[in-house]
Amino acid sequence: MERVSNAMCFGGSQGVYTHHSSATGTPMTFQVFIPEHRTNQTLPVLWYLSGLTCTHANAMEKGHYQRACAEHGVALIGPDTSPRGDDVPDDESYDFGKGAGFYVDATREPWKANFQMRSYIERELPELIADEFPMLDMNRQGITGHSMGGHGALTISLRNPGRFRSTSAFAPIVSPISCPWGEKALGGYLGNDIVAWQQYDACALIKNGARLPDLLVDQGRADQFLEEQLKTHLLEEACRKAGIPHTIRLHEGYDHSYFFISTFIADHVAWHAERLKA
């Protein structure tokens, strides 16, 4: 692992790191904010997964989570959204290929050699973090994300019961099986077997028995993707039928941008901190 940059922020450390990934076969970059802490103190961890077209830098530079993380003593990890490199296959559209890994392990050519983001996020990067950042307590993890990253946060938490003490999302894609973004991505990476898609669909996972202890979701009513792509009501219905405690907040006037995320990120950090420190 190599440190690319580091800056002091609200008394803590905002760092960017790179390493070679065995899962993707490429260099991968991620960012970590570590709040000020005492020697030998361990810190709970909040994962933040970004959305379409984003890198590790979008939330770091526009999410404004650092003040809240410093206040609550929570470290935040933000990985990239896909493999990168000249030899990595890509697509001309913004919603497929580089920047659009959808947190899946691809099974179709030419994507399967590099687009192994599920394995990277669920296995490889946590193991690296545990080895390289001994002040982080990997027994106290929460996860959140935005849009495609909200889809990633929900599905990763649902597939790994007990790993995450807290799960939240901003404007998540709640059912990729039921929207154009998801149909394109899952079909392209996995093929036409819809049964295989279900492990990457939060509503399908809940229907098939996966559970969360509780859930927080924020969604803007002025979000241009709400009706066609995000379909928040499907998640509300799935949680209600499964008896999953959930808070889904709809906000008048807010869109899909980081202005929306930065408005409510402190609420999410505080919500996670309460559960991670219990």
Side-chain angles (χ1 to χ4, degrees):
M1 188 185 75
E2 177 184 350
R3 186 170 71 182
V4 176
S5 65
N6 189 67
M8 189 171 183
C9 185
F10 294 104
S13 171
Q14 177 64 73
V16 176
Y17 304 86
T18 186
H19 72 108
H20 183 82
S21 166
S22 60
T24 68
T26 67
M28 293 294 292
T29 302
F30 63 94
Q31 55 100 351
V32 182
F33 177 75
I34 300 175
E36 186 177 14
H37 59 284
R38 301 184 308 275
T39 303
N40 297 326
Q41 178 186 359
T42 59
L43 302 166
V45 174
L46 178 60
W47 292 84
Y48 180 94
L49 305 184
S50 290
L52 288 168
T53 75
C54 291
T55 70
H56 69 282
N58 292 74
M60 181 178 72
E61 297 171 356
K62 299 188 290 185
H64 304 304
Y65 57 79
Q66 289 92 345
R67 181 191 292 273
C69 285
E71 177 184 348
H72 293 283
V74 174
L76 187 141
I77 302 169
D80 203 347
T81 54
S82 77
R84 310 276 177 177
D86 293 340
D87 296 330
V88 174
D90 199 10
D91 190 86
E92 293 181 355
S93 59
Y94 75 95
D95 55 359
F96 194 71
K98 293 180 186 178
F102 264 82
Y103 305 100
V104 308
D105 278 354
T107 57
R108 294 189 68 201
E109 297 288 359
W111 313 103
K112 68 178 184 179
N114 304 117
F115 282 75
Q116 300 294 310
M117 290 300 294
R118 173 181 178 175
S119 293
Y120 178 69
I121 299 295
E122 290 188 4
R123 176 185 54 80
E124 184 179 9
L125 186 55
E127 291 175 359
L128 177 68
I129 295 293
D131 288 341
E132 298 286 346
F133 298 89
M135 76 291 292
L136 302 187
D137 184 356
M138 301 304 282
N139 292 315
R140 293 187 291 158
Q141 297 184 76
I143 191 167
T144 189
H146 171 232
S147 193
M148 179 186 72
H151 139 77
L154 293 173
T155 55
I156 289 170
S157 188
L158 285 162
R159 286 195 306 264
N160 293 274
R163 177 182 291 190
F164 301 97
R165 295 191 184 184
S166 53
T167 305
S168 75
F170 298 88
I173 304 170
V174 306
S175 182
I177 290 175
S178 307
C179 73
W181 277 342
E183 291 172 0
K184 179 177 181 178
L186 298 183
Y189 294 133
L190 304 176
N192 296 324
D193 182 4
I194 296 182
V195 173
W197 296 11
Q198 292 181 7
Q199 63 186 312
Y200 299 111
D201 185 292
C203 293
L205 286 166
I206 292 170
K207 183 178 180 180
N208 291 334
R211 296 291 182 264
L212 298 172
D214 57 4
L215 175 65
L216 173 64
V217 171
D218 278 307
Q219 172 65 59
R221 288 188 182 274
D223 191 320
Q224 64 271 40
F225 304 115
L226 177 57
E227 298 301 324
E228 183 180 23
Q229 305 282 11
L230 307 178
K231 302 188 177 183
T232 309
H233 67 282
L234 296 179
L235 180 63
E236 195 282 330
E237 292 171 5
C239 288
R240 177 171 45 80
K241 290 179 180 178
I244 296 175
H246 58 283
T247 301
I248 298 179
R249 307 189 300 188
L250 300 177
H251 303 278
E252 295 292 343
Y254 285 93
D255 60 16
H256 200 68
S257 70
Y258 267 89
F259 296 112
F260 158 66
I261 297 167
S262 64
T263 300
F264 299 104
I265 190 69
D267 290 355
H268 282 243
V269 172
W271 187 87
H272 283 276
E274 180 181 0
R275 287 150 180 80
L276 294 172
K277 295 181 177 181

